[in-house]
């Protein structure tokens, strides 16, 4: 070093200015914290090593494979910036041999060593990124507010133990904004996406089946100076199988084996767990992980004739996912109670010579079974079976007896008969839902109740050729219901005349079916003003950017069942880029579209009934803007402070960055090429790094120090390509051993030289001196002394 006194002072000042810490270590170990990405002057002096003696020899630093660190005069320095993401710490071994303090001591000292631990302190130099380029999720109909249905994940390469990698998420925008602009919410810490109260209550896949959410992730816990990245989340709205199951009717005292499956529910969304609530004995009903509901013990109708079971669905963490559904279980009666008479013995009096058919006695028994079923019917008056005792006695009084059992068997000698020949007319609106009961009728049969002779089979003989209606018979009462099985359409059929017949399932004995076993049912379909119907639920349209406005890009087609006119309108086109024909449904562009401004537009087309504005239908239209090569590539960055060393240093180059606002189809790989000039191509070389960056370096070993203008062209990968011509000023200078530029290669035009600067400085001193002389002279005139006669000549001479 040229100046041994000034160098230590400069090094000490640099060390005091560095933001690092030296932790005291036991023994000879030293621990140093160094910030990454240092952009100051190199070599960068990190710390003074107090472990080194004032005199030493044979100094060796090991453990540094990249040759970054060195020691100069007991100071540890670095030759280039450190990157924590590349290597978070360095363990250096320093060994030396101390020299004797006294010159006359000739014994050699043993080699000593100590460890230096250099820990790279993190800076917030990495932008958070989403883990997935395409983020998709699905939300199920019926999901409660605040229950996450998907999670957005991001990473940050900075130190996780610092705020540099502490991420915060936010939801920026929702498209489309129907039926509300606040359908979703996002947890700022976990990135979980859930429905709001408004979203949970208004979510409808028929109105909108897909949403796009613009989301943002920030580091530094979301502070104003944080780095951020935005992304798009696509959310599909799906239906759900979560609904109350059909009521179940179970017979009491079922023989088993138990458990018996009686019903099933299913949450079609994410993983869920089920539980049952209601007023029933514990473990009488249970539900499996698959949603199968079991009966675990026999039921007793006389104790409880029905159960209302509430089925709860929860996440594994115990949070309720959706509103509970209900299962109604009705208990059917079994003949498990004996009939009882109110008294044990009956006494009856019959008159002598009573006529045949005279009623002798009527008895009535009680039964605890269901009074609505045959289980509680007691024989009254007559009986289907008689027990007779016959006694034979001779003249001497000797007798013997036998028992004869007579069973009466019923014959089908009574046909079923309707109470009236015509039923109706009944009015049914054309929008009546399926399974609607139009009417219920009964054909009575006089045969013994419950047998085959009493059962009635109903058929629609005519008028139901298209199977619009079906018959449902109650086997307990013989009542038949006429039920709607297909959707009605007034414009197609406004009236139905049905012929209904009733017969027994067994042949009729000593009789035949007559007009009383047939009836006519008249049904009128009432006209309902139906809303318009659109041919598609979603339109996908593509338009080239820059396309001349006014072109028809799609035609929305719909029809009205009542032949009413249809009016079309747009919703969601906030910037008024599109228009639609009020009656034609033709969708047009109003102005030229720019893909770089927005690549996709989503809007809703509303079709309204021309006579009733409350009747409408809607469809989503997504317009994709196709990229056109309308942007030239540009050079990115400031290169005025960079330089190249001469003679040429190996691997030294200026990294040039470029950007093209077009999409990958036209932007793609950007090509750098030097101007077709022999001198330029001899002196300079461009080496591609990737699609957007290239290295500019010297192509010859030596180039005179100077500021050169390097002409080159950046072209995109389209056909034909778009190009930008660049004249880049590049400084070439001689460098010291550490790669620092020694002197300016050549003064730029308009910049002062050293000679001109010295002249200006001397001129400034001359002006200041002149001003001081004039000031002193004027002060001397302000306080003159009275001259006497002896020194008058001297005074004049002074003047």
């Amino acid at each position: 070093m040229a100046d041994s006194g000034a160098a230590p002072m400069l090094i000490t000042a640099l060390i005091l200015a560095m933001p690092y810490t030296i932790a005291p270590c036991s023994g000879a170990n030293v621990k140093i914290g160094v910030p990454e990405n240092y952009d100051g002057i190199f070599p960068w002096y990190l710390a003074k090593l107090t472990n080194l003696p004032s005199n030493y020899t044979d100094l060796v630093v090991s453990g540094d494979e990249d040759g970054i660190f060195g020691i100069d005069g007991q100071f540890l320095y670095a030759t280039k910036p450190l990157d924590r993401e590349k290597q978070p710490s360095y363990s250096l071994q320093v060994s030396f041999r101390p020299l004797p303090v006294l010159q006359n001591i000739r014994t050699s000292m043993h080699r000593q060593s100590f460890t230096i631990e250099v820990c790279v302190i993190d800076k917030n130099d990495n932008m958070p990124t989403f883990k997935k380029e395409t983020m998709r999720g699905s939300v199920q109909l019926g999901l409660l507010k605040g229950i996450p249905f998907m999670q957005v994940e991001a990473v940050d390469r900075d130190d996780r133990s610092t705020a540099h990698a502490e991420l915060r998420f936010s939801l920026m925008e929702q498209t489309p904004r129907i039926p509300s602009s606040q359908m979703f919410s996002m947890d700022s810490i976990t990135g979980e996406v859930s429905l709001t109260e408004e979203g949970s209550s208004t979510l409808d896949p028929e109105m909108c089946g897909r949403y796009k959410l613009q989301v943002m992730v920030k580091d530094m816990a979301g502070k104003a100076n944080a780095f951020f990245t935005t992304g798009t989340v696509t959310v599909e709205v799906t239906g759900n199988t979560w609904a109350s199951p059909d009521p179940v009717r179970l017979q009491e005292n079922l023989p088993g084996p138990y458990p018996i499956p009686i019903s099933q529910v299913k949450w079609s969304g994410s993983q869920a767990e089920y539980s049952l609530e209601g007023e029933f004995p514990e473990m009488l009903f249970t539900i499996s992980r698959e949603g199968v509901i079991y009966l675990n013990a026999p039921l007793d109708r006389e104790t409880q004739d029905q159960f209302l079971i509430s089925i709860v669905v929860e996440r594994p963490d115990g949070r309720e996912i959706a509103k509970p559904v209900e299962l109604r279980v009705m208990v059917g009666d079994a003949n498990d109670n004996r009939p009882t008479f109110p008294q044990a013995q009956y006494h009856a009096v019959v008159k002598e010579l009573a006529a045949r058919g005279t009623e002798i006695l009527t008895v009535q028994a009680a039964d605890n079974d269901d009074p609505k079923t045959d289980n509680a019917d007691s024989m009254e008056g007559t009986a289907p079976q008689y027990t007779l005792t016959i006694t034979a006695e001779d003249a001497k009084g000797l007798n013997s007896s036998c028992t004869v059992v007579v069973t009466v068997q019923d014959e089908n000698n009574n046909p079923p008969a309707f109470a009236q020949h015509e039923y109706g007319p009944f009015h049914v609106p054309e929008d009546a839902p399926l399974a609607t009961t139009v009417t219920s009728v009964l054909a009575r049969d006089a045969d013994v109740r419950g047998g085959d002779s009493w059962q009635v089979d109903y058929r629609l003989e005519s008028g139901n050729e298209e199977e619009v209606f079906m018959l449902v018979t109650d086997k307990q009462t013989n009542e038949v219901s006429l039920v709607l099985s297909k959707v009605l359409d007034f414009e197609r059929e406004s009236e139905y005349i049905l012929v209904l017949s009733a017969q027994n399932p067994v042949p009729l004995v000593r009789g035949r079916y007559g007009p009383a076993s047939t009836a006519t049912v008249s049904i009128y379909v009432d006209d309902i003003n139906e809303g318009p119907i659109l041919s598609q639920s979603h339109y996908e349209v593509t338009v080239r950017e820059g396309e001349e406005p006014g072109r028809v890009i799609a035609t929305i087609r719909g029809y009205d069942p009542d032949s009413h006119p249809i009016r079309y309108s747009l919703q969601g086109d906030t910037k008024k880029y599109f228009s639609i024909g009020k009656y034609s449904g033709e969708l047009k562009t109003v102005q030229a579209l720019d893909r770089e401004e927005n690549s996709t537009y989503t809007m809703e087309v509303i079709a309204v009934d021309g006579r009733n504005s409350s009747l409408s239908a809607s469809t989503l239209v997504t317009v994709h803007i196709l990229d056109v090569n309308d942007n030239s590539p540009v050079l990115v960055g400031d290169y005025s402070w960079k330089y190249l060393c001469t003679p040429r240093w190996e691997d030294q180059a200026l990294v040039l960055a470029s950007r093209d606002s077009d999409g990958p189809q036209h932007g793609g790989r950007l090509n750098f090429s030097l101007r077709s000039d022999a001198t330029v191509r001899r002196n300079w070389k461009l080496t591609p790094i990737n699609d957007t960056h290239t290295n500019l370096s010297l192509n010859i070993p030596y180039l005179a120090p100077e500021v050169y203008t390097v002409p080159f062209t950046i072209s995109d990968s389209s056909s034909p390509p778009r190009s930008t011509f660049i004249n880049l000023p590049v400084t070439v200078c001689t460098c010291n051993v550490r790669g620092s530029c020694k002197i300016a290669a050549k003064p730029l035009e308009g910049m002062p030289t050293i000679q001109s600067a010295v002249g200006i400085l001397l001129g400034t001193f001359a002006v200041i001196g002149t001003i001081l002389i004039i000031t002193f002279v004027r002060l001397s005139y302000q306080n003159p002394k009275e001259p006497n006669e002896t020194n008058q000549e001297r005074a004049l001479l002074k003047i």
Side-chain angles (χ1 to χ4, degrees):
M1 295 191 292
D3 189 350
S4 60
M9 294 180 62
L10 176 60
I11 293 172
T12 303
L14 290 173
I15 293 173
L16 293 175
M18 292 298 103
Y20 63 87
T21 59
I22 302 179
C25 302
S26 61
N29 293 333
V30 178
K31 190 171 184 179
I32 302 174
V34 181
E36 67 175 342
N37 303 330
Y38 172 70
D39 59 353
I41 300 173
F42 288 93
W44 180 21
Y45 286 89
L46 305 178
K48 182 176 181 180
L49 305 178
T50 58
N51 305 72
L52 287 173
S54 58
N55 295 314
Y56 57 88
T57 184
D58 195 15
L59 177 67
V60 177
V61 180
S62 60
D64 178 16
E65 297 178 357
D66 298 330
I68 299 176
F69 301 93
I71 297 178
D72 184 6
Q74 296 187 345
F75 288 94
L76 177 68
Y77 66 85
T79 59
K80 63 180 181 180
L82 305 180
D83 187 354
R84 191 200 68 85
E85 286 72 33
K86 181 178 179 181
Q87 186 167 344
S89 64
Y90 298 82
S91 182
L92 308 178
Q93 299 291 327
V94 179
S95 64
F96 60 91
R97 194 184 305 278
L99 294 176
V101 178
L102 300 177
Q103 296 181 358
N104 57 357
I105 298 177
R106 297 182 178 180
T107 58
S108 61
M109 303 294 289
H110 294 289
R111 175 171 289 276
Q112 300 180 11
S113 66
F114 60 92
T115 301
I116 303 176
E117 187 75 21
V118 179
C119 300
V120 184
I121 301 173
D122 184 57
K123 282 189 177 181
N124 190 20
D125 58 344
N126 288 281
M127 187 175 295
T129 58
F130 292 104
K131 285 188 176 181
K132 294 182 181 179
E133 184 177 353
T134 301
M135 295 178 284
R136 292 182 176 274
S138 62
V139 58
Q140 294 75 34
L141 197 65
L143 189 70
L144 293 177
K145 72 165 186 176
I147 301 299
F149 59 85
M150 68 171 296
Q151 184 177 20
V152 175
E153 296 179 295
V155 294
D156 195 304
R157 295 180 59 206
D158 289 317
D159 190 350
R160 289 189 176 183
S161 64
T162 67
H164 301 160
E166 189 174 350
L167 304 182
R168 292 293 184 270
F169 300 87
S170 60
L171 176 58
M172 302 167 58
E173 187 179 3
Q174 164 198 315
T175 306
R177 304 167 68 88
I178 58 173
S180 167
S181 61
Q182 303 290 333
M183 300 289 289
F184 303 90
S185 65
M186 173 175 280
D187 190 292
S188 62
I189 297 178
T190 64
E192 293 178 331
V193 184
S194 59
L195 290 173
T196 63
E197 179 73 35
E198 199 167 6
S200 177
S201 60
T202 62
L203 194 67
D204 187 356
E206 295 183 359
M207 179 179 294
C208 181
R210 178 185 299 168
Y211 292 88
K212 288 191 175 181
L213 309 180
Q214 293 294 324
V215 297
M216 176 187 292
V217 58
K218 284 186 175 183
D219 59 12
M220 298 296 293
K223 293 183 179 179
N225 60 343
F227 291 136
F228 66 89
T229 300
T230 60
T232 302
V233 177
T234 302
V235 179
E236 300 287 346
V237 182
T238 62
N240 208 329
T241 58
W242 184 248
S244 295
D246 293 333
V248 175
R249 185 177 183 86
L250 300 176
Q251 197 74 8
E252 67 173 334
N253 301 322
L254 289 175
Y258 291 93
I260 299 174
I262 60 174
S263 186
Q264 185 173 12
V265 294
K266 178 65 177 177
W267 171 259
S268 59
S270 57
Q271 184 179 4
E273 295 181 356
Y274 309 95
S275 61
L276 302 179
E277 296 179 355
E279 296 183 2
F280 53 85
E282 185 177 0
M283 299 303 294
L284 179 61
F285 299 98
T286 57
I287 187 168
S288 68
R289 298 178 62 90
E290 293 74 27
V292 180
I293 302 173
Y294 293 93
L295 172 66
N296 298 308
L299 300 175
D300 184 6
R301 190 201 67 83
E302 287 72 39
T303 302
Q304 188 169 348
D305 59 354
Q306 67 174 344
F307 299 88
L308 191 61
I309 303 174
S310 181
I311 309 169
V312 180
V313 59
E314 297 175 337
R315 296 200 318 172
D317 60 4
R319 294 182 63 183
E320 193 170 353
I321 296 177
K323 294 180 179 179
V325 296
E326 291 183 342
L327 170 64
R328 183 179 296 276
V329 177
M330 294 169 289
V331 184
D333 187 47
N335 190 13
D336 57 350
N337 291 280
R338 295 178 179 275
T340 58
F341 292 92
Q343 59 190 73
Q345 186 176 9
Y346 291 87
H347 297 274
V349 177
V350 60
K351 292 182 180 181
E352 184 179 6
L353 301 178
R356 188 166 70 176
T358 301
E359 182 177 342
I360 299 174
L361 179 66
T362 300
V363 296
Q364 179 73 44
D367 195 306
N368 287 331
D369 290 318
D370 191 349
K372 297 179 182 179
T373 67
D374 293 341
N375 300 331
D377 287 347
S378 299
M379 298 307 299
E380 184 175 346
T382 62
Q385 187 180 82
Y386 297 89
T387 301
L388 305 177
T389 302
I390 302 176
T391 302
E393 184 176 348
D394 59 13
K396 293 183 178 182
L398 299 177
N399 60 70
S400 63
S401 63
C402 66
T403 301
V404 178
V405 177
V406 180
T407 301
V408 180
Q409 186 175 5
D410 185 40
E411 293 284 352
N412 187 19
N413 57 345
N414 294 289
F418 290 100
Q420 56 193 74
H421 186 64
E422 294 183 357
Y423 293 90
F426 301 100
H427 290 265
V428 182
E430 64 175 324
D431 62 349
L434 297 179
T436 298
T437 299
V438 179
T439 185
S440 296
V441 297
L442 175 65
R444 299 185 179 276
D445 194 296
D447 290 312
V448 176
R449 181 183 180 93
D452 291 341
S453 301
W454 175 81
Q455 296 286 346
V456 178
D457 288 341
Y458 296 93
R459 290 188 302 175
L460 288 172
E461 300 294 341
S462 63
N464 192 40
E465 287 73 20
E466 296 183 0
E467 299 181 349
V468 178
F469 304 94
M470 64 179 180
L471 299 175
V472 179
T473 304
D474 186 347
K475 296 298 183 180
Q476 301 294 329
T477 63
N478 264 349
E479 188 177 54
V480 66
S481 297
L482 188 64
V483 178
L484 187 64
S485 62
K486 287 186 178 180
V487 176
L488 298 174
D489 187 354
F490 173 84
E491 288 72 26
R492 183 177 181 182
E493 193 72 43
S494 61
E495 182 182 5
Y496 293 90
I497 304 297
L498 307 178
V499 177
L500 180 65
S501 67
Q503 294 184 5
N504 297 124
V506 296
L508 193 64
V509 177
R510 288 183 293 178
R512 60 181 180 177
Y513 297 102
S517 297
T518 305
T520 301
V521 181
S522 301
I523 301 172
Y524 293 155
V525 180
D526 294 337
D527 186 23
I528 299 296
N529 187 10
E530 301 170 81
I533 300 174
L534 296 176
S535 59
Q536 294 179 223
S537 61
H538 190 198
Y539 288 79
E540 297 276 350
V541 183
T542 57
V543 181
R544 292 172 60 88
E545 67 172 326
E547 190 84 27
E548 182 177 356
R551 188 172 71 87
V552 177
I553 61 175
T555 300
I556 311 303
R557 302 191 182 277
Y559 72 94
D560 191 286
D562 303 300
S563 301
H564 295 168
I566 300 177
R567 299 196 306 269
Y568 299 92
S569 62
L570 284 178
Q571 284 189 3
D573 179 21
T574 56
K575 296 186 178 180
K576 306 300 180 184
Y577 284 164
F578 304 91
S579 66
I580 191 168
K582 185 175 181 180
Y583 296 103
S584 66
E586 293 181 342
L587 184 65
K588 300 180 181 180
T589 56
V590 176
Q591 53 183 296
L593 304 175
D594 186 1
R595 190 199 68 86
E596 286 69 44
E597 178 183 347
N598 196 351
S599 62
T600 304
Y601 295 88
T602 301
M603 66 204 80
E604 187 180 21
V605 175
I606 309 297
V608 180
D609 189 308
R611 296 185 181 179
N612 187 351
S613 59
S614 64
L615 299 175
S616 64
S618 65
T619 183
L620 286 178
V621 179
T622 301
V623 181
H624 302 282
I625 312 303
L626 298 179
D627 189 29
V628 174
N629 192 17
D630 56 350
N631 291 278
S632 299
V634 295
L635 186 67
V636 181
D638 180 15
Y639 304 93
S640 61
W641 58 276
K642 297 185 177 182
Y643 58 88
L644 293 174
C645 294
T646 185
R648 182 181 63 195
W649 282 41
E650 291 299 328
D651 299 329
Q652 186 191 29
L654 300 184
V655 179
L656 305 181
S658 60
R659 182 181 67 242
D660 193 311
S661 298
D662 291 317
Q665 179 183 359
H666 300 295
R669 184 178 182 86
L670 303 181
N671 302 308
F672 292 74
S673 60
L674 293 169
R675 191 178 66 186
S676 298
D677 182 274
T679 302
V680 172
R681 294 183 177 269
R682 182 200 65 193
N683 294 345
W684 306 95
K685 179 173 65 174
L686 292 173
T687 305
I689 300 175
N690 52 34
D691 289 351
T692 57
H693 291 70
T694 193
N695 280 333
L696 173 64
S697 59
L698 294 178
N699 197 34
I700 56 177
Y702 177 80
L703 195 62
E706 192 175 334
V707 178
Y708 293 87
T709 299
V710 181
F712 59 89
T713 301
I714 309 176
S715 304
D716 60 25
S717 56
S718 185
S719 180
R722 293 180 68 98
S723 304
T724 301
F725 181 75
I726 306 293
N727 277 322
L728 181 66
V730 178
T731 301
V732 178
C733 63
T734 57
C735 301
N736 59 17
V737 294
R738 300 185 183 91
S740 300
C741 190
K742 285 186 177 181
I743 58 173
K746 182 179 181 181
L748 298 177
E749 294 184 3
M751 296 295 290
T753 63
I754 296 176
Q755 293 82 357
S756 63
V758 173
I760 292 172
L761 185 61
L762 293 176
T764 303
F765 286 154
V767 172
I768 294 173
T770 303
I771 294 173
L772 291 175
I773 292 172
I774 294 173
T775 302
F776 290 145
V777 170
R778 295 188 64 180
L779 290 174
S780 64
Y781 271 102
Q782 290 177 0
N783 298 305
K785 292 183 180 180
E786 290 293 332
N788 52 27
E789 294 181 3
T790 59
N791 59 7
Q792 194 170 20
E793 291 183 2
R794 189 177 298 173
L796 291 173
L797 289 175
K798 288 181 178 180
I799 296 172

